[in-house]
Amino acid sequence: MERLKIGVICYPSLGGSGVVATELAIKMAAKGHEIHFITSSLPFRYNEPQENIYFHEVRIDGYAVFKYPPYDIALANRIGQVVEEQQLDLLHVHYAVPHAVSAVLAKDMIQSDIGIITTLHGTDVTILGHDPALRNTVKYGIDKSDITTAVSDSLRTETIELIEPIKDIQTIYNFIDEETYHPIEPGTLREDLGILADEKVIIHISNFRSVKRIPDLIRAFALIVEKISVKLLLVGEGPEVPRIRRLVDMLGVTERVIFTGKRDDLPELLSFSDVMVLPSEKEAFGLVLLEGFACGVPAVGTLAGGIPEVIEDGVNGHLVPIGDPEQIAEKTLHILCNQDVHQMMKENALETVRGKFASDKIVAQYEKLYYDLQKKGCPNVWN
Ligand code: GMT
């Protein structure tokens, strides 16, 4: 098969969209394609230099006249340069704003016919698409892309209803790197964190923003500690942390909650955890669920966005209504207190990653799109 030169634009420093973009780029490079990251810094999951991967930094100086440095325009300028210098075959843009718009501007600037694939990750539509200050920009970025994908059917449907794009959108699910996420012997980590041998472990990993509804989990946890011996691991950082700490203290569960901050050893932390809870009110996919599944951790998640496409109720976890701490407590206890249920869900969680979300399957879907775009010389391949 022809070796493609692919420009990848993503948020390099945080978030699931940057993780997916980077893991996909790494897999494509391993297949022999040439990857050109066009980003403000090296993507945080790109830890070691790898064959076929190049990095083109986007720089913008702060001139006195700028109240806000125009990153979007500097990005467009850089994309245009790289397309021309490297003779790229296509651009894969992750997150509609501003990346899709910058790619479209770059294409116009250099009068190129390069194909653009935009992958929607969630908040670029579910939050920014509702913002009157950005809605038309989101639509423009999508309409001017040759192909748009969404990370779940839920996000696809919401985008079609809200944005009314002129072309169809295809769902391509997220995946994780199975070589990184798998059950790992955690050494003394569990004891180091002060977790006793007979204690169960509930884990939550996120960027601690209000959309994750972590207070619902804390309220549920206060009910769970009345029934069993258990610790709650809160992994990550974000704006909600001070509020959550206050609630933890107020509900008298301080001794049982461990705030770990941001960690690099997620597979180890997950490998001794018994259940993950994701109580979000919006979640296009919930990549962290797959990371947990791959380490054998079933999950309790809300009926929000794409979560029901990842958690199959009663199979690899449980689904609960948004904003219902009692239900979170009940379903979490159901998993923690029934060894057979836990074992069955653990095995099914591992199977979910090996089956529906296997990386080679997902990467092949993107690769097919890349070739389709090449063949058709752009216009929407489904119309
Ligand atoms: O919300 C986040 O945690 C960050 C955000 C992002 O843009 O990185 O995540 C979105 O993209 C992830 C990767 O596709 C999805 O797994 C998350 O569900 C999605 N977040 C939301 O929809 C809130």
Side-chain angles (χ1 to χ4, degrees):
M1 289 294 252
E2 188 195 347
R3 179 181 202 241
L4 298 173
K5 292 184 170 192
I6 306 156
V8 176
I9 294 103
C10 66
Y11 284 113
S13 53
L14 80 175
S17 61
V19 172
V20 172
T22 308
E23 297 295 358
L24 178 63
I26 291 171
K27 299 260 184 223
M28 288 294 176
K31 284 183 148 222
H33 298 298
E34 197 174 291
I35 298 297
H36 293 265
F37 280 115
I38 310 168
T39 46
S40 55
S41 57
L42 262 183
F44 71 112
R45 285 281 174 106
Y46 180 55
N47 300 319
E48 283 167 27
Q50 190 182 314
E51 207 183 336
N52 296 335
I53 298 189
Y54 303 87
F55 168 57
H56 308 272
E57 189 182 7
V58 182
R59 295 180 63 175
I60 169 90
D61 290 325
Y63 299 108
V65 72
F66 296 147
K67 186 172 177 196
Y68 308 107
Y71 175 76
D72 319 359
I73 291 173
L75 173 62
N77 198 77
R78 192 77 176 113
I79 294 171
Q81 281 171 348
V82 178
V83 169
E84 285 187 322
E85 284 166 16
Q86 304 295 330
Q87 294 290 297
L88 298 186
D89 294 307
L90 66 107
L91 294 169
H92 191 167
V93 170
H94 294 263
Y95 213 86
V97 183
H99 299 156
V101 179
S102 297
V104 172
L105 178 59
K107 179 173 172 168
D108 193 48
M109 249 183 222
I110 59 167
Q111 301 280 291
S112 161
D113 62 357
I114 190 163
I116 300 175
I117 298 184
T118 293
T119 292
L120 306 173
H121 283 271
T123 45
D124 42 359
V125 171
T126 59
I127 293 182
L128 305 183
H130 285 278
D131 184 342
L134 290 172
R135 185 195 174 275
N136 289 348
T137 313
V138 175
K139 179 168 169 56
Y140 177 83
I142 292 173
D143 284 345
K144 292 286 178 183
S145 298
D146 298 291
I147 296 174
T148 302
T149 69
V151 297
S152 62
D153 285 338
S154 153
L155 180 60
R156 173 182 179 270
T157 305
E158 189 168 344
T159 308
I160 290 172
E161 284 170 6
L162 182 72
I163 303 292
E164 298 178 338
I166 52 179
K167 295 171 214 154
D168 198 2
I169 293 175
Q170 180 178 339
T171 299
I172 299 187
Y173 285 130
N174 284 335
F175 66 95
I176 46 113
D177 176 23
E178 296 95 340
E179 280 175 31
T180 306
Y181 287 92
H182 55 84
I184 288 179
E185 173 49 54
T188 60
L189 186 56
R190 189 186 156 108
E191 296 86 75
D192 296 347
L193 287 165
I195 302 167
L196 306 176
D198 68 337
E199 283 177 322
K200 300 284 185 193
V201 178
I202 300 171
I203 188 165
H204 171 85
I205 307 173
S206 77
N207 47 21
F208 289 72
R209 289 178 302 149
S210 62
V211 75
K212 304 289 174 184
R213 291 192 71 102
I214 301 163
D216 293 345
L217 166 59
I218 307 302
R219 291 199 171 85
F221 185 67
L223 301 173
I224 294 170
V225 295
E226 288 173 11
K227 310 270 186 208
I228 59 168
S229 179
V230 60
K231 286 257 165 71
L232 172 63
L233 277 185
L234 293 177
V235 184
E237 282 165 9
E240 287 283 291
V241 168
R243 187 172 156 230
I244 295 158
R245 281 189 185 276
R246 282 197 296 277
L247 184 63
V248 164
D249 292 343
M250 202 183 92
L251 294 178
V253 290
T254 313
E255 301 300 307
R256 292 182 171 269
V257 179
I258 303 167
F259 288 85
T260 68
K262 233 176 173 173
R263 303 280 297 212
D264 291 328
D265 53 356
L266 295 184
E268 287 84 350
L269 290 169
L270 286 163
S271 292
F272 66 75
S273 297
D274 297 295
V275 64
M276 174 182 284
V277 178
L278 188 61
S280 312
E281 63 188 27
K282 284 180 193 292
E283 200 68 70
F285 184 88
L287 191 63
V288 76
L289 296 169
L290 283 193
E291 294 174 346
F293 283 179
C295 297
V297 187
V300 173
T302 39
L303 286 154
I307 292 178
E309 293 168 60
V310 183
I311 299 179
E312 207 179 325
D313 195 30
V315 175
N316 50 19
H318 279 302
L319 291 166
V320 295
I322 298 168
D324 193 336
E326 284 80 16
Q327 276 292 304
I328 295 176
E330 189 185 320
K331 299 296 184 180
T332 305
L333 280 165
H334 178 245
I335 300 173
L336 292 178
C337 298
N338 295 285
Q339 215 180 332
D340 293 350
V341 170
H342 187 260
Q343 188 56 32
M344 176 269 290
M345 287 188 172
K346 185 186 171 98
E347 281 159 23
N348 289 338
L350 289 164
E351 186 47 40
T352 304
V353 175
R354 286 194 290 258
K356 187 174 176 183
F357 301 107
S359 63
D360 53 356
K361 225 163 44 190
I362 309 288
V363 171
Q365 290 176 37
Y366 278 116
E367 193 180 35
K368 180 177 181 308
L369 280 195
Y370 293 173
Y371 284 125
D372 285 348
L373 192 57
Q374 282 298 100
K375 266 189 264 152
K376 297 265 176 179
C378 287
N380 186 315
V381 290
W382 302 285
N383 288 343

